[in-house]
Amino acid sequence: MTFDQNTLPDNPYLLLTPGPLSTTKGVKAAMLRDWCTWDRDYNELVQSIRHKLVGISAENPEGYTSVLMQGSGSFSVEAVIGTVVPRDGKLAILTNGAYGNRIVQMANVLNIANVVLDFGEISPAEPEKLDTLLKSDPSITHVAVVHCETTTGMLNPIAEVGKIAKEYGKVFIVDAMSSFGGVEMDIAALQIDFLISSANKCIQGVPGFGFVLAKEEELIKCKGQARSLSLDLVDQWQAMEDQQGKWRYTSPTHVVRAFYQAMLELEEEGGVSARADRYLTSQRTLVEGMEQIGFRTLLTRDHQSPIITSFYYPEESAFTFAGFYERLKKEGFVIYPGKISAADTFRIGNIGHVFPEDMERLVKAIERNRFWL
Ligand SMILES: *Cc1c(COP(=O)(O)O)cnc(C)c1O
């Protein structure tokens, strides 16, 4: 099936936000037809997506499976948290931003016993603190951490965290929402039991569903544990397995078709390593350009992800984010406000159909806009 992409209008601006993000015309064009949710063609598409997701998750992904779940990414995080921690379980959550804190909120709403290791807003998670905690509290059964904390752009040391979680025999959960597909990782080598991401991040699809990569033997153990019917991860997986690509309840068909196209385009680009290279080059181009015109990053380079970067507001007292945002939008760039309390920052994302040249154009536009303050 091909679509005439030339009839699609150009977007009025580039989204430099960490999802929804700028997608290709191919991805948008893929949504221009309707699908039946129980039709074989559609279900085969779903199976292919599930298979491809597992395929890019590890060098040797044997023993891993994938589940797709309706809703935004948080719904998939909640499906994992609410399904995999048993009634008598206890979850340790390492947090340094809004998305780690959201997992804490979920655990509290779902009445899941939890312990929080809070590292503030601008420091990475410290594996040693987890070691101390797990030593002192053997009742902990599960450990959760966010890989790229999109709040700031912080990349947490999931390899070290996972190593400790596994030394103590805990189930290891990673919210890799904004990094999966855009940063090279191997879930088998990282010993991750449950990894969560969504359609509208580094795979470069449109919003509408999330997905979970799970170690199958761990997933099966969770049968009957879910605290929600719609967000029962095992039931959803079982339906997809038994009925070969069938979702429980209505699936976001157009979004799924667009995601399939996005997966093909990821392959065409050269896979995750090529995409990770592009993101890294874009992010470096952005930071070097911004530093040249006087901006400073919130995080040091060693903790910085290639996904999204936080910048301090410039010194000029006349600077307002609202004014800056509007001027950049007129130039064709949409940026993101900051989200932390410790400092005044704004954020620029570089995932999506965005290239190092776009970063150069952006820096030039920002330089021009500074004179209008
Ligand atoms: C985007 C994101 C989520 C999910 O957010 P939604 O708005 O529910 O899609 C969760 N965790 C991280 C780290 C994210 O970047």
Side-chain angles (χ1 to χ4, degrees), residues 18 54 71 117 128 142 181 187 208 217 252 256 264 270 273 294 356 362:
V54 172
L117 287 175
E128 308 74 43
H142 292 61
I187 53 170
E217 60 169 331
V256 171
L264 297 183
S273 67
L362 170 71

Side-chain angles (χ1 to χ4, degrees), residues 295-306:
F295 285 89
R296 287 186 305 122
T297 59
L298 175 71
L299 303 179
T300 55
R301 202 181 242 235
D302 46 343
H303 304 312
Q304 173 66 51
S305 70

